[in-house]
Amino acid sequence: MDASCTGITLGQKEGEEVCSGSSLPDSTTTDKYQGVIPGNLNARQACRHPLDRALHVPRWTSASNVSDSLPVTFFLTGIPGLEFAHPWIAIPFCVMYLVALLGNAALILVIGTESALHAPMYLFLCLLSLTDLALSSTTVPKMLAILWLHANEISFGGCLAQMFCVHAIYALESSVLLAMSFDRYVAICNPLRYTTILNHTVIGQIVFAGIVRSVVIVSPFIFLLKRLPYCGHHVMAHTYCEHMGVARLACANITVNIVYGLTVALLAMGLDSVLIAVSYGFILRAVFRLPSRDAQRKALSTCGSHFGVILVFYIPAFFSFLTHRFGHNRVPKHVHIFLANLYVLVPPVLNPIIYGARTKEIQSRFVRLLRLGMDLV
């Protein structure tokens, strides 16, 4: 078979030699399908990404823009190794997404239409539902398009936009959980001043600070990725774009990306989780000092829902983060991609269920809205 028709730039045999570290020929090799490959490129630049070779994705476009220009598009493979099961995997993902949409939309509707639920606790819960909707809607539609419709391509700008939204919304949701733990601390440890401390002005300032923090700490990711050369690598084993997944495609040193990513994770979400743990330490101390068992049980019940949401949010996120940074070559790729999908799906699904099942005020008003809707029909 003619080597030029195989989709491998230097031919089947020559391409393998280049990838094994052998020197390139001094002369310039021309392929009528792939373009011109200059003979003075080093082996790192000439060796195609393994996923590019496996999928027969054309790598070279011209001799001038191989290392200087940014990729026009990225190719998201979905879940590597499980391509045969993509249509079936998409079914539970789609069901979970629909449950997340309906549950969070219902929670926002109930809280928004009931003036009795405009207390700080419920306003923060409404904000949590908004971030859950934004997080899942930023990733899941494209995920389903990849798994069902084979719509694997995404533009470079679209990939960076999705990456920014995923990380910024995730950081904002961490801020919301921290604000909710502060709300529970004030409600239990200083109940007489609860409405004075957490008035609507303070709540607005907390939300604004969380948004600003998220944008400020995530924005550098865009510039860190745009400065990297990609040498034609544009096949990413994932279902959506995230910082380290894109950075690992680069054919340059990504130490700055790794260090900044760790710094953001530790000083933002890591610090939030520590502050949440400290606030719950004070809450538990105050609860166990209450005089009656009934008061203790009621106080713990109000904190139980929030604590469950915290566990649902942080456990899969930290596990995915740690495996991506430190277990990249030890954890199977499909396991990591599954975890990454779950941490944008599980919290939006479970949060409204946890709060709806454990909060009597939300339950009663939701039932009343359902009855009102049925009467209108």
Side-chain angles (χ1 to χ4, degrees):
M1 181 183 290
D2 186 359
S4 64
C5 297
T6 63
I8 299 178
T9 305
L10 297 178
Q12 188 74 27
K13 183 175 181 181
E14 294 171 356
E16 292 172 354
E17 291 174 354
V18 168
C19 291
S20 65
S22 62
S23 59
L24 289 173
D26 294 333
S27 60
T28 299
T29 305
T30 304
D31 190 315
K32 64 182 179 179
Y33 291 99
Q34 306 297 341
V36 179
I37 305 172
N40 61 352
L41 287 179
N42 57 38
R44 171 79 175 183
Q45 291 171 314
C47 179
R48 298 174 68 201
H49 194 279
L51 285 172
D52 287 343
R53 294 200 306 274
L55 296 170
H56 301 284
V57 178
R59 164 129 187 257
W60 300 98
T61 54
S62 70
S64 61
N65 66 357
V66 170
S67 60
D68 296 335
S69 64
L70 295 171
V72 177
T73 60
F74 281 125
F75 188 92
L76 299 170
T77 65
I79 304 174
L82 296 176
E83 289 81 4
F84 66 94
H86 276 180
W88 302 106
I89 295 172
I91 294 174
F93 284 174
C94 182
V95 171
M96 292 173 72
Y97 180 54
L98 292 176
V99 171
L101 287 179
L102 292 174
N104 286 285
L107 208 56
I108 294 169
L109 179 64
V110 169
I111 295 173
T113 55
E114 293 289 337
S115 57
L117 297 180
H118 289 178
M121 172 184 171
Y122 300 109
L123 293 178
F124 285 130
L125 178 56
C126 184
L127 182 60
L128 182 68
S129 292
L130 287 171
T131 57
D132 280 338
L133 285 177
L135 181 63
S136 57
S137 296
T138 301
T139 54
V140 179
K142 180 61 178 177
M143 186 192 306
L144 296 177
I146 292 170
L147 299 179
W148 267 334
L149 306 176
H150 307 289
N152 301 79
E153 287 194 349
I154 184 171
S155 68
F156 182 74
C159 186
L160 291 186
Q162 186 185 54
M163 180 273 303
F164 174 82
C165 290
V166 168
H167 292 302
I169 294 169
Y170 196 82
L172 177 59
E173 186 159 350
S174 180
S175 300
V176 173
L177 291 175
L178 176 59
M180 294 175 74
S181 68
F182 177 68
D183 166 80
R184 292 298 85 205
Y185 167 76
V186 175
I188 292 174
C189 298
N190 204 349
L192 297 179
R193 299 187 59 201
Y194 177 60
T195 55
T196 304
I197 296 174
L198 284 173
N199 54 54
H200 287 182
T201 302
V202 172
I203 293 173
Q205 292 172 346
I206 291 173
V207 173
F208 179 75
I211 294 173
V212 170
R213 187 191 76 156
S214 302
V215 172
V216 168
I217 65 175
V218 173
S219 293
F221 284 153
I222 296 175
F223 303 104
L224 289 175
L225 292 175
K226 292 184 75 171
R227 73 181 177 86
L228 294 172
Y230 293 90
C231 301
H233 301 164
H234 61 284
V235 179
M236 182 163 50
H238 216 307
T239 53
Y240 60 87
C241 294
E242 51 92 25
H243 173 237
M244 286 308 301
V246 178
R248 291 189 188 280
L249 296 180
C251 53
N253 192 305
I254 60 170
T255 302
V256 175
N257 298 70
I258 295 173
V259 171
Y260 186 73
L262 282 170
T263 303
V264 169
L266 294 176
L267 294 184
M269 280 67 79
L271 181 61
D272 288 349
S273 61
V274 170
L275 293 176
I276 289 172
V278 171
S279 68
Y280 265 91
F282 286 114
I283 288 171
L284 291 175
R285 187 181 69 172
V287 166
F288 290 122
R289 287 181 177 178
L290 294 174
S292 67
R293 292 282 184 181
D294 186 59
Q296 291 179 2
R297 186 167 53 252
K298 184 177 180 181
L300 290 174
S301 178
T302 60
C303 297
S305 300
H306 181 238
F307 191 71
V309 167
I310 290 171
L311 294 179
V312 166
F313 179 80
Y314 281 110
I315 288 177
F318 275 120
F319 190 79
S320 178
F321 168 80
L322 293 173
T323 55
H324 201 51
R325 263 93 179 157
F326 306 111
H328 187 68
N329 298 320
R330 299 176 183 177
V331 179
K333 196 69 179 176
H334 64 275
V335 174
H336 171 71
I337 304 302
F338 253 116
L339 279 172
N341 292 332
L342 289 179
Y343 91 76
V344 299
L345 268 173
V346 172
V349 170
L350 293 184
N351 288 350
I353 295 175
I354 292 173
Y355 273 100
R358 294 182 60 89
T359 309
K360 294 180 180 179
E361 292 83 356
I362 293 177
Q363 285 181 4
S364 60
R365 282 161 177 79
F366 181 69
V367 170
R368 191 169 71 179
L369 280 179
L370 283 179
R371 288 175 179 172
L372 181 61
M374 293 176 63
D375 291 340
L376 292 176
V377 173

